[in-house]
């Protein structure tokens, strides 16, 4: 994390800096964090750090255990299943709304994200960010402000989980292929095929994240 140099509210800047470190796995799930350490790294006093940690705990990024300490939240199978179920609902609503109404220009925008993913197969951070932008764009095309807000709230969680899903090169290729199937169905305006393609994509992502969590758990127990 870099020291803060801005006139923006220090609490909010600290919140974003710590959250970014969590998303990028600079701060790892289960890792203990300390106000003094964060204060020194970010170059600000402990008061805005404490306020930002309160916000992070409210959003379930960290957990405070009385008389024990403060820790980055763990990624659990239950959390993954809950978030991906919500993701599937959002995707279904958005795709049903835009199917048959999407323009060629909008399709080209989505294809642009896929092209960028193909260029960034070895850059996991960039690849997963493009994945989020691909799906966020579909939600934007649906033109529902409340849905956009809700999707934004879980978008960072999806990105955080998503990095677990692309640790294998094969999953990166599968993701690109699945995105192309979604585009193919949008072009043909086939709502049934579109929903099948979307459900397969979200289901495969969920399963790979859970499988990776289980692999990590087995390695730790060996």
């Amino acid at each position: 994390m870099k020291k803060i140099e801005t006139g923006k509210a220090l609490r909010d800047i600290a919140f974003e800096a710590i959250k970014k470190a969590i998303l990028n796995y600079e701060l790892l799930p289960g890792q203990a964090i300390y106000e003094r350490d964060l204060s020194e790294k970010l170059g600000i006093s402990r008061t805005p750090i404490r306020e930002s940690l309160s916000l992070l705990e409210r959003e379930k990024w960290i957990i405070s255990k009385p008389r024990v300490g403060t820790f980055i939240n763990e990624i659990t199978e239950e959390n993954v299943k809950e978030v991906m179920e919500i993701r599937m609902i959002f995707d279904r609503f958005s795709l049903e709304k835009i199917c048959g109404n999407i323009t060629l220009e909008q399709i080209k925008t989505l294809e642009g994200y896929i092209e960028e993913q193909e260029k960034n197969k070895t850059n996991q951070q960039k690849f997963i960010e493009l994945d989020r932008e691909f799906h966020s764009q579909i939600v934007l095309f649906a033109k529902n402000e409340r849905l956009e807000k809700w999707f934004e709230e879980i978008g960072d969680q999806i990105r955080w989980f998503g990095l677990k899903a692309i640790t294998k090169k094969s999953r990166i290729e599968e993701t690109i292929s699945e995105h192309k199937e979604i585009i193919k169905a949008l072009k043909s305006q086939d709502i049934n095929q579109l929903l099948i393609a979307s459900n397969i994509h979200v289901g495969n992502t969920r399963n790979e994240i859970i499988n990776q969590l289980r692999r990590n758990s087995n390695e730790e127990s060996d």
Side-chain angles (χ1 to χ4, degrees):
M1 290 182 285
K2 297 181 180 179
K3 289 190 176 182
I4 293 171
E5 296 180 5
T6 179
K8 194 175 178 181
L10 292 178
R11 179 200 65 184
D12 297 334
I13 296 299
F15 171 86
E16 291 298 333
I18 298 168
K19 183 177 174 182
K20 182 179 179 181
I22 295 171
L23 287 170
N24 292 339
Y25 288 84
E26 296 173 38
L27 296 173
L28 299 174
Q31 179 178 337
I33 55 176
Y34 307 94
E35 287 182 13
R36 179 181 296 177
D37 182 48
L38 293 170
S39 175
E40 291 175 355
K41 287 182 177 178
L42 295 175
I44 59 176
S45 67
R46 293 173 65 174
T47 298
I49 294 292
R50 190 175 303 116
E51 292 172 347
S52 70
L53 292 180
S54 178
L55 294 175
L56 287 162
E57 184 166 22
R58 192 180 308 165
E59 292 192 8
K60 309 297 183 184
W61 291 104
I62 65 173
I63 182 170
S64 295
K65 300 178 180 180
R67 297 181 296 278
V68 178
T70 302
F71 304 85
I72 306 301
N73 237 334
E74 298 277 4
I75 299 176
T76 66
E77 288 190 26
E78 181 181 358
N79 290 341
V80 171
K81 289 176 181 177
E82 287 181 356
V83 170
M84 298 309 282
E85 283 174 359
I86 296 170
R87 155 85 176 274
M88 194 171 285
I89 293 170
F90 286 175
D91 281 3
R92 182 183 182 91
F93 175 87
S94 301
L95 291 170
E96 285 181 335
K97 190 170 182 181
I98 68 175
C99 185
N101 300 310
I102 193 168
T103 66
L104 289 176
E105 183 178 350
Q106 289 173 329
I107 286 176
K108 287 181 180 178
T109 297
L110 295 176
E111 289 176 328
Y113 290 120
I114 298 175
E115 290 172 4
E116 287 301 309
Q117 283 189 302
E118 289 179 322
K119 295 176 184 176
N120 288 276
K121 294 178 182 178
T122 59
N123 185 338
Q124 291 186 346
Q125 294 283 357
K126 180 66 175 176
F127 186 91
I128 203 65
E129 182 60 33
L130 288 164
D131 183 85
R132 176 184 172 174
E133 291 174 6
F134 176 86
H135 291 283
S136 294
Q137 192 64 62
I138 290 174
V139 172
L140 288 173
F141 287 156
K143 295 182 179 179
N144 184 310
E145 291 185 2
R146 285 181 174 83
L147 183 66
E148 291 170 20
K149 183 176 183 298
W150 293 334
F151 189 85
E152 184 178 350
E153 288 180 4
I154 70 163
D156 286 333
Q157 289 278 341
I158 293 170
R159 177 189 166 194
W160 191 40
F161 297 161
L163 280 170
K164 291 283 185 182
I166 59 170
T167 53
K168 294 197 305 182
K169 185 177 179 180
S170 60
R171 183 57 199 151
I172 291 175
E173 297 292 346
E174 289 168 359
T175 297
I176 292 172
S177 177
E178 289 161 8
H179 282 175
K180 288 180 178 179
E181 286 300 311
I182 291 172
I183 295 295
K184 181 180 177 181
L186 280 170
K187 286 180 175 179
S188 65
Q189 300 182 19
D190 185 336
I191 185 61
N192 291 328
Q193 191 57 43
L194 180 58
L195 295 180
I196 289 172
S198 176
N199 289 343
I200 288 173
H201 175 53
V202 176
N204 286 345
T205 300
R206 177 199 60 218
N207 293 341
E208 184 53 39
I209 295 169
I210 290 173
N211 288 339
Q212 184 60 42
L213 289 175
R214 290 173 179 173
R215 286 194 290 269
N216 290 347
S217 179
N218 290 337
E219 289 173 3
E220 291 172 3
S221 61
D222 287 344

